[in-house]
Amino acid sequence: MKFDYFYGMEINDELINKLEHLSKLSLSEAEREIMKKDLGNILQMVDKIQEVDTSNVEPLMHVNEDVNVLREDVARNEITNEEALRNAPSSSAPYISVPKVIDIK
């Protein structure tokens, strides 16, 4: 599988600003420089991986033959609803209120 959309990608301030907005982060100038360097290193690794000829390699569905061992789903009342609401920064009984996180453009 080739990742052609990485070719020619430039790690610049515009990209960092977009990622900062999408991730709802606020980075300092030093953190932005670190992010640029790290993203550049990641793209270099992707380029290096793409040099490997995988045309005769079967895709893996699973890395190993292990099967998940699942526990029984048992409901336990470890804290009461009132205790949970007391610890919440904002609530509207019987629910915990959280800020809206959907950003539709």
Side-chain angles (χ1 to χ4, degrees), residues 1 3 5-6 8 10 14 16-17 19 25 27 32-33 35 39 44 46 49-50 53 71 74 77 97 100 103 105:
M1 176 187 317
F3 297 99
Y5 50 85
F6 285 128
E10 183 181 347
E14 182 182 340
I16 299 299
N17 287 339
L19 293 174
L25 294 175
L27 302 175
R32 287 171 186 251
E33 291 304 316
M35 183 69 69
L39 289 173
Q44 285 177 353
V46 170
I49 290 170
Q50 290 191 45
D53 178 18
R71 64 170 171 76
V74 178
N77 293 327
S97 300
K100 179 180 172 183
D103 187 15
K105 285 191 174 191

Side-chain angles (χ1 to χ4, degrees), residues 79-86 94-95:
I79 66 171
T80 66
N81 200 19
E82 292 79 24
E83 290 172 319
L85 291 176
R86 266 198 310 262
Y95 306 105

